[in-house]
Each structure stands twice: as C-alpha cells, then as structure tokens.
C-alpha cells in the first residue's frame, strides 16, 4: 500500500514538473509574440481548424518534405514514426532520421498507424489520409489524433511565404517558435544570396521542366518549382496553366524553344535515360537547350515545398546563368 | 436418393457456415498490427460486459473500429455481389454477365473520380465519394435502361449492348479526368477506388449495405421460381405464366440498387460477381433456390479471405482488394472450369 502511495506521489510530482515546464515555455512565447497564456493554440490548416492544447509528444510524419521540416526543427524526440521517402533523407538529418522508426516505405495502413499510438499526424499530401493509408482526418480526430496537412503542398502556385508559414505553424504547434524563425531566416538568406547571382537581362530565359513521359511529357505548371523558376527571373514555358502539373505535348515544348531544361530525378527512369531520350527525339533534339546540353537536375525531394528550397533554388540559378 | 441429396445440401451449408465463421475470426485476428488472439477474445468479452468506446485502448480500437467493420463489410459485399451476379446472369442469360455489365461501375467511377480529382459534390461532406458514386451508378442504369427500351419492351441484346456502350463512354470520361491531372494527388486514391477496397468500412455506416443486401436477398430468394423460368426461353417462360417484361424490370431495379450501394461503399471490386455464381453452379447445379444461398455464402467467404490477403501481402502497406480477387480467384476458377464438365 505504501509502495502504491509512493508511486502515486512520484507520478503526481512528475506531472507537476511537466506542467510547470509548459507554463514557463508558454510565458516565454507570450513575452515574444503575445500568445495568450495557457490557452489552447488555434491554427487554421486549409479548411480545418486545429486546436492544440499541449504540444504533441508522439508525432508521425508522412512524405519526405514534412519529415525533413520536423527534423530541421530538431523534433525527432517527439516523433514515433515516419513514412514515405521520395529519395534519401537530407544528409544533415540522417542521424536524427534514423532515431525514429520507419513505419512503411510508402503509406502505412490504418492499423500500423494506430499501433504506433500517435497524438499528431503531419502529412505532406492528402493521399496520406486516404482509407488505404492513415484514414480520413475526421476519423483520426475521433481517435484523438490531431492532423496537419502541409498547406503549401496543396495549393496552386505556392509561394515561398506559404512554405515559411507551414514551418512557422509546426514551430507553434511544437512550441519551437525560435527554431522555426531561425530556420526561415537561414532559408531566406540563402535564397537572397543566390538571387544576387541573377544577372540583369532583357529577355527572361525560357525554362522547360521535364518530369517524365515519352509520348507526352508531364511538366511543372503552377507548382513550387515554377515559383522557384520565377524567383530566379526566368520563365517557365508552361507556367500559365493553372494547376500543379500537366501533361503537355512535344510540339508546344519544341515551339517554345526553351533555353534550359530542368529534369526532375526520381523513379525508375534515370536522368541519363531522360537526357538520351530528349537527344534522340526528332523534334526536341533541335531545341536550343538540348543542342547546348543545358540541363539542370533537381531530385524530386528538392522540388517539394520544404526545407530544401534554397538548394533547389541555387541549382536552378546556377543552371540557368552559371559558368558563362 | 432424395434423402441423400438433402443430406448433401445440409452438410454443404454446415461446411460453408463453418468456413464463414473461421474466416471472420481469422479476419479479426490478422492484420499489419500484431495483436495476440487473447486480446481479441478479451475485447469481445469486455464489450459484452458493457465496455464503452471511450475506455478502449489502441489495440481495442484497431479490432473494434478497423477490423470488425471491415470483416462485416467483406461478408456483406461478397455475398451481395455474388447474388447480384446470379440474378444478372439469369436476367441476361449470358454467362459473361457480372453486376457491372449494365455500366454501374463505370458510372460510379465517373462520380467518384469527379469528387476525388475535381472536388465536386463537396456539399456531401464525408459522404461525397460514396454519394457521387451512387448517383453515377443509378444515372447510368437509368440511361442504359432507356436505351434498351424498344416499344415499351426490353430486349436482352439491346440491354447488353447499351450497357457495354455506356460503360465505354464513362470509362473514357474517367480516363480523361485522370489524364488531365497527371501526378495529381488524388490519382492514387482514385485508382484505389476503381480497383475496389474495403478499407473505408465504418461501423456506424455499415447498416446501409447490410440492409440492402439482406432485403435484396429476400427479394431474390422469394422469386427463385421466376428466375428458374427466366433462364428458359421467353415463350416457355410466358407459357408458364411469368410476366417476363415486368419481372425483368423488377430484377434490373433491385440488382442496380444493391450494386449501386455496394460500389458506393467499396468501389468496383471485380470478379466476385462473375465467378462465384459459376462456382456455385458447378457445386450445386442451376436451381436458384439453392444457387442463391450457396453463392451468397461462397461470396462472403471468398471476400473475407481476399481482404485478409490484401491487408497482409504487402503489410504495413495495403493492396486494393480488387487486385486480390482477380489474381487469386482467376486461376482457381480456371482450374475448376478445367476439372469439371461445366457449361451454362
């Protein structure tokens, strides 16, 4: 009986300590940006309103770019699982990544997700919430799991600021506002630095994004890659189509005569194969970019709306204007 | 002799009932999360003693809110598709007919892809996909039915041909929606839907498919004699006193409603509605009185096993169950076909 009482005391003490900690952190945040003390945090996420009473301790991330956002904020200790990489995790966060269990290579099933007993799920794409994956957000809410969908990945024409807002939201949810702000500052500084390399020009350079496809090419239209191309002062030849990705045709591509081709690297077709295909294509081989072998390779993970934006942007700027 | 047959039939029912029970229990025990069997038993014991869902642990939720509804839905969809298959094959007198022959799945696919890829019907909320699929399915059947009408009579050939034509048109519309949204986020979801999946089963919504299948079964069972007559030629049928026109119309309405509901909750799961009736016919012969219950039971067992496979084969990820029904069912069906001297 005394043992039980002792244990109970201990637990209570622990709880009290934790409560004190949250209060302290809360007041810090209040001092910085006038959040109301101890009140639940409300965040609008797309059409959903998320209410966070305590910062999550058992988060699951799905899709590489959001996993990297969490790791970049140093939140690996509050994660109980990750899933779905496009390629390999950013080398800076490899160690942190390996400390968190990988639930599945692609999307884990509902059972696997529930078995990990998460209190928060952070997904990059809405397909993470399909029935064959984690299940709908409403359903997860019934299990007491808060969900956050990376907003910038789910809009037409996302801006850099939208990505920053996502990082800021995650920072707020996990009470890591400072880490979030410093990550955002680092990212914008790198992007500004790269922007200074963009030369004065009369005609913007024309860029074609080659994602995949042989009969008809799939290309980036108004997605994040397009935003980065615009930021680099260049012109995406299919940037006027109002959706994220589109299937276009070789005729229009060749007619636009792009100066630069950005090849997205993922899946089973290698970059070499994609270039070889362009060089053998009867029409595309006549295009300026192909004749001059002006290719910039961007891995799929860098084309996503995440912390790799500066890296992708530097590659794009160097690819278009570099070494001339 | 007659006594023998009765014995054979009742032992067949008994055997199938045991199979259904065993498959259902296995379906509660197996999944990508490893849960010991005693936890499953203990949950049901606790629920029987008044455990409420707020007191449930994670494991309890996995069994009660994921595996149980899936198992019930699998039984329902399997049985439902099988009996609709039997009825449709009698209706059009064609062994190649399945519940989707009148274009139901293609119409439902258009509705579902419109929701998934283009965000249509958002006013229906969480029921948007099911609702749109059901509306798509019914509109298709009405269209096919109108096309098949000739001077207020339905000709089977016209029914089949308009079904095929409308299916083709709607499949093309679905393909168009998918093609114009390459790499769109919803494509995977749409594909899962088109191949059929039971992963969306929810306990509180189960009553709709369960009730439709039960009522449908009762109607079909009630009219087993008419179906027996229907598979003979029309003159014989009429001379035996069956109003073939009215009965066909009734059959179309009932099968379309059941299939529409099933497609709305589980997507277009193929093969079950085509194969199970033939399997049942190989086992018990063409009399609809026995063919219907045996088909329903076979369909239920087959679907539960297929769903277990879909959950386990690439765990912790999941496979659309429609892939399993075709890949596992196909060879088995061919084997059965080769072994017996079966003709319709």
């Amino acid at each position: 009986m005394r043992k039980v009482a002792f244990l109970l005391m201990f637990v209570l003490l622990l709880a009290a300590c934790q409560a004190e900690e949250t209060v302290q952190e809360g007041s810090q945040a209040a001092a910085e940006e006038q959040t109301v003390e101890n009140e639940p945090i409300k965040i609008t996420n797309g059409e959903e309103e998320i209410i966070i009473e305590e910062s999550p301790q058992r988060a699951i991330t799905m899709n590489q770019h959001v996993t990297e956002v969490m790791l970049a904020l140093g939140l690996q200790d509050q994660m109980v699982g990750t899933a779905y990489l496009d390629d390999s995790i950013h080398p800076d966060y490899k160690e942190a990544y390996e400390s968190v269990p990988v639930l599945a290579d692609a999307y884990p099933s509902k059972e696997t997700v529930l078995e990990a007993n998460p209190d928060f799920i952070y997904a990059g794409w809405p397909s993470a919430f399909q029935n064959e994956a984690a299940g709908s957000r409403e359903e997860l809410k019934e299990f007491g799991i808060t969900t956050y969908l990376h907003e910038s990945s789910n809009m037409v024409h996302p801006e850099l600021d939208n990505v920053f807002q996502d990082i800021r939201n995650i920072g707020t949810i996990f009470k890591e506002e400072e880490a979030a702000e410093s990550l955002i500052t680092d990212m914008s500084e790198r992007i500004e630095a790269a922007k200074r390399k963009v030369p004065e020009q009369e005609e913007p350079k024309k860029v074609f994004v080659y994602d995949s496809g042989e009969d008809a090419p799939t290309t980036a239209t108004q997605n994040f890659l397009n935003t980065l191309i615009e930021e680099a002062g260049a012109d995406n030849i299919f940037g006027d189509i109002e959706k994220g990705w589109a299937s276009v045709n070789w005729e229009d591509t060749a007619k636009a005569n792009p100066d630069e081709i950005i090849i997205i690297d993922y899946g089973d077709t290698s970059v070499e194969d994609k270039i070889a295909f362009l060089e053998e294509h009867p029409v595309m081989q006549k295009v300026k970019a192909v004749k001059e072998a002006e290719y910039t390779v961007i891995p799929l993970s860098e084309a996503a709306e995440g912390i790799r934006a500066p890296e992708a942007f530097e590659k794009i700027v160097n690819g278009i204007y570099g070494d001339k | 002799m007659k006594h023998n047959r009765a014995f054979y039939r009742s032992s067949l029912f008994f055997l199938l009932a045991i199979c259904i029970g065993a498959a259902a229990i296995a379906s509660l025990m197996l999944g990508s999360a490893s849960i010991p069997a005693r936890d499953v038993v203990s949950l049901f014991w606790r629920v029987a003693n008044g455990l409420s869902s707020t007191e449930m642990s994670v494991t309890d939720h996995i069994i009660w809110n994921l595996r149980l509804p899936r198992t019930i839905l699998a039984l329902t969809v399997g049985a439902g598709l099988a009996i609709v298959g039997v009825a449709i094959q009698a209706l059009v007198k064609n062994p190649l007919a399945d519940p989707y022959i009148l274009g139901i799945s293609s119409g439902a696919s258009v509705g579902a892809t419109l929701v998934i890829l283009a965000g249509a019907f958002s006013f229906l909320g969480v029921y948007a996909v099911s609702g749109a699929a059901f509306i798509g399915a019914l509109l298709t059947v009405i269209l096919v039915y109108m096309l098949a009408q000739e001077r207020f009579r339905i000709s089977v050939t016209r029914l089949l041909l308009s079904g095929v034509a409308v299916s083709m048109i709607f499949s093309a519309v679905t393909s168009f929606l998918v093609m114009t949204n390459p790499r769109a986020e919803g494509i995977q979801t749409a594909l899962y839907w088109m191949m059929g999946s039971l992963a969306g089963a929810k306990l509180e919504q189960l009553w709709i498919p369960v009730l439709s299948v039960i009522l449908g079964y009762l109607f079909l069972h009630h009219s087993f004699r008419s179906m027996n007559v229907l598979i003979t030629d029309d003159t014989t049928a009429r001379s035996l006193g069956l109003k073939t026109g009215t009965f066909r119309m009734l059959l179309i309405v009932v099968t379309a409603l059941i299939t529409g509901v099933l497609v709305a909750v589980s997507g277009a799961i193929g093969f079950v509605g085509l194969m199970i009736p033939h399997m049942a016919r190989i086992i018990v012969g063409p009399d609809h009185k026995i063919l219907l219950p045996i088909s329903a039971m076979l369909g239920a067992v087959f679907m539960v096993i297929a769903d277990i496979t879909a959950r386990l084969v690439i765990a912790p990820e999941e496979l659309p169950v429609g892939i399993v029904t075709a890949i596992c069912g196909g060879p088995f069906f061919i084997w059965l076909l080769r072994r017996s001297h079966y003709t319709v």
Side-chain angles (χ1 to χ4, degrees):
Chain A
M1 195 57 214
R2 265 173 68 182
K3 258 189 194 164
V4 175
F6 182 73
L7 215 78
L8 208 73
M9 283 262 291
F10 185 68
V11 170
L12 280 175
L13 211 74
L14 258 177
C17 285
Q18 245 175 4
E20 211 164 53
E21 258 174 37
T22 7
V23 171
Q24 264 173 12
E25 273 174 9
S27 57
Q28 250 173 23
E32 274 161 25
E33 43 170 318
Q34 73 218 29
T35 21
V36 190
E37 270 177 82
N38 284 335
E39 258 188 34
I41 305 162
K42 280 185 192 162
I43 286 176
T44 28
N45 178 211
E47 287 167 15
E48 308 255 331
E49 179 150 270
I50 295 172
I51 298 164
I52 303 277
E53 302 197 354
E54 278 167 72
S55 62
Q57 296 300 317
R58 304 181 58 82
I60 288 180
T61 57
M62 285 187 269
N63 306 113
Q64 181 165 355
H65 56 303
V66 307
T67 302
E68 288 179 347
V69 167
M70 289 283 283
L71 297 178
L73 296 177
L75 292 166
Q76 60 276 5
D77 293 340
Q78 273 132 284
M79 291 162 72
V80 291
T82 67
Y84 219 144
L85 291 191
D86 296 321
D87 35 52
S88 42
I89 205 84
H90 194 290
D92 289 0
Y93 309 115
K94 201 164 177 289
E95 206 175 305
Y97 174 74
E98 278 161 6
S99 71
V100 183
V102 176
L103 299 182
D105 291 335
Y107 289 126
S109 68
K110 282 183 206 173
E111 271 191 23
T112 312
V113 168
L114 283 191
E115 199 186 18
N117 195 16
D119 55 5
F120 186 77
I121 294 179
Y122 177 21
W125 314 104
S127 52
F129 297 119
Q130 69 190 5
N131 279 324
E132 293 73 16
S136 71
R137 299 179 72 176
E138 294 83 13
E139 195 180 347
L140 290 164
K141 197 184 256 172
E142 282 168 30
F143 291 125
I145 302 168
T146 314
T147 52
Y148 185 88
L149 182 61
H150 201 63
E151 242 172 273
S152 50
S153 294
N154 296 288
M155 53 170 70
V156 175
H157 210 296
E159 300 288 344
L160 271 166
D161 280 341
N162 298 119
V163 179
F164 294 157
Q165 189 56 47
D166 273 319
I167 296 175
R168 209 167 278 136
N169 285 347
I170 292 302
T172 314
I173 290 169
F174 286 89
K175 301 209 166 69
E176 288 287 352
E177 288 93 344
E178 267 175 64
E181 287 311 322
S182 86
L183 176 64
I184 292 168
T185 318
D186 282 354
M187 286 173 70
S188 9
E189 274 169 8
R190 271 183 79 178
I191 287 172
E192 288 308 316
K195 252 188 201 172
R196 283 193 284 275
K197 289 189 198 156
V198 176
E200 287 287 321
Q201 43 181 347
E202 285 176 9
E203 278 274 298
K205 297 271 189 185
K206 283 173 289 181
V207 178
F208 167 62
V209 179
Y210 183 34
D211 174 272
S212 60
E214 302 208 333
D215 296 338
T218 296
T219 190
T221 47
Q222 294 191 358
N223 57 24
F224 190 54
L225 208 50
N226 176 64
T227 308
L228 294 178
I229 295 168
E230 284 172 358
E231 293 279 332
D235 183 25
N236 173 12
I237 58 171
F238 291 108
D240 53 351
I241 301 175
E242 280 179 37
K243 52 183 177 181
W245 300 87
S247 235
V248 291
N249 58 61
W250 291 116
E251 213 173 279
D252 287 334
T253 313
K255 205 168 148 238
N257 199 17
D259 303 298
E260 181 73 29
I261 294 178
I262 294 178
I263 297 174
I264 302 180
D265 183 16
Y266 73 102
D268 293 330
T269 320
S270 68
V271 173
E272 290 73 35
D273 287 347
K274 284 180 183 173
I275 292 178
F277 173 78
L278 289 173
E279 283 170 350
E280 276 159 31
H281 192 279
V283 185
M284 284 306 287
Q285 53 172 275
K286 305 281 192 290
V287 161
K288 192 172 169 224
V290 179
K291 275 197 284 193
E292 293 172 8
E294 286 286 346
Y295 304 115
T296 304
V297 178
I298 303 275
L300 186 60
S301 56
E302 286 179 15
E305 301 76 10
I307 56 151
R308 298 200 193 206
E311 280 157 58
F313 188 67
E314 282 160 8
K315 279 187 192 164
I316 291 170
V317 171
N318 284 336
I320 299 177
Y321 310 105
D323 312 315
K324 262 173 275 176
Chain B
M1 189 63 205
K2 197 158 185 202
H3 182 72
N4 250 346
R5 211 166 77 180
F7 176 73
Y8 170 69
R9 280 183 180 177
S10 42
S11 39
L12 193 62
F13 276 121
F14 185 65
L15 188 73
L16 277 173
I18 288 179
C19 287
I20 290 178
I25 290 169
S27 169
L28 292 172
M29 303 274 184
L30 301 168
S32 53
S34 46
I35 296 172
R38 63 183 140 81
D39 287 8
V40 181
V41 180
S42 111
L43 169 68
F44 282 92
W45 174 249
R46 277 176 292 141
V47 169
N49 286 311
L51 177 82
S52 79
S53 75
T54 42
E55 303 163 314
M56 283 186 184
S57 71
V58 174
T59 334
D60 295 342
H61 273 304
I62 292 179
I63 303 164
W64 189 256
N65 285 316
L66 299 182
R67 290 186 186 171
L68 181 65
R70 272 187 94 139
T71 308
I72 298 174
L73 189 63
L75 291 169
T76 314
V77 170
L81 288 175
I83 57 168
V84 172
V86 170
I88 292 265
Q89 283 168 8
L91 173 77
V92 298
K93 285 189 268 185
N94 188 321
L96 282 178
D98 73 353
Y100 309 130
I101 196 111
L102 301 182
I104 290 186
S105 67
S106 59
S109 294
V110 172
T113 28
L114 268 177
V115 173
I116 295 166
L117 294 176
F121 295 98
S122 50
F123 62 92
L124 290 171
V126 282
Y127 298 97
V129 176
S130 309
F134 187 70
I135 294 169
L138 284 198
L139 288 180
T140 317
V141 173
I142 293 170
L143 181 66
V144 169
Y145 187 81
M146 277 165 28
L147 290 173
Q149 239 178 2
E150 198 182 14
R151 276 176 266 120
F152 302 107
R153 284 193 49 212
I154 286 284
S155 113
V156 167
T157 319
R158 285 176 75 100
L159 194 66
L160 281 174
L161 287 179
S162 22
V164 171
V166 170
S167 286
M168 280 178 171
I169 297 168
F170 284 157
S171 307
V173 174
T174 310
S175 303
F176 172 77
L177 287 170
V178 172
M179 277 309 297
T180 46
N181 293 289
R183 302 208 35 197
E185 245 314 285
I187 285 192
Q188 207 194 358
T189 317
L191 277 178
Y192 263 110
W193 193 90
M194 281 186 261
M195 288 186 279
S197 166
L198 299 165
K202 286 185 192 63
L203 213 49
E204 60 270 28
Q205 293 164 20
L206 274 178
W207 62 272
I208 309 174
V210 171
L211 195 68
S212 330
V213 169
I214 290 176
L215 291 178
Y217 179 81
L218 290 178
F219 168 79
L220 292 175
H221 191 76
H222 175 75
S223 40
F224 76 89
R225 281 195 191 85
S226 310
M227 282 203 276
N228 281 345
V229 175
L230 199 65
I231 50 174
T232 62
D233 62 296
D234 275 20
T235 352
T236 321
R238 250 171 263 136
S239 68
L240 285 167
L242 181 68
K243 289 180 181 147
T244 47
T246 327
F247 183 63
R248 279 215 181 93
M249 208 189 87
L250 214 57
L251 219 47
I252 291 175
V253 172
V254 171
T255 54
L257 284 174
I258 305 176
T259 318
V261 170
L262 295 182
V263 167
V265 291
S266 64
I269 299 173
F271 216 71
V272 180
L274 173 69
M275 180 188 70
I276 298 292
H278 291 301
M279 277 174 62
R281 252 182 237 118
I282 291 173
I283 301 171
V284 294
D287 179 7
H288 284 89
K289 187 183 177 187
I290 176 101
L291 186 58
L292 276 167
I294 293 293
S295 296
M297 292 173 96
L298 275 176
V301 172
F302 179 72
M303 193 56 109
V304 174
I305 295 173
D307 186 48
I308 296 175
T309 316
R311 274 184 272 165
L312 290 182
V313 93
I314 57 164
E317 290 154 46
E318 220 170 280
L319 213 60
V321 74
I323 292 181
V324 182
T325 56
I327 287 183
C328 304
F332 180 64
F333 184 55
I334 292 168
W335 173 77
L336 210 61
L337 204 60
R338 299 285 304 163
R339 242 198 52 166
S340 62
H341 307 281
Y342 169 71
T343 47
V344 174

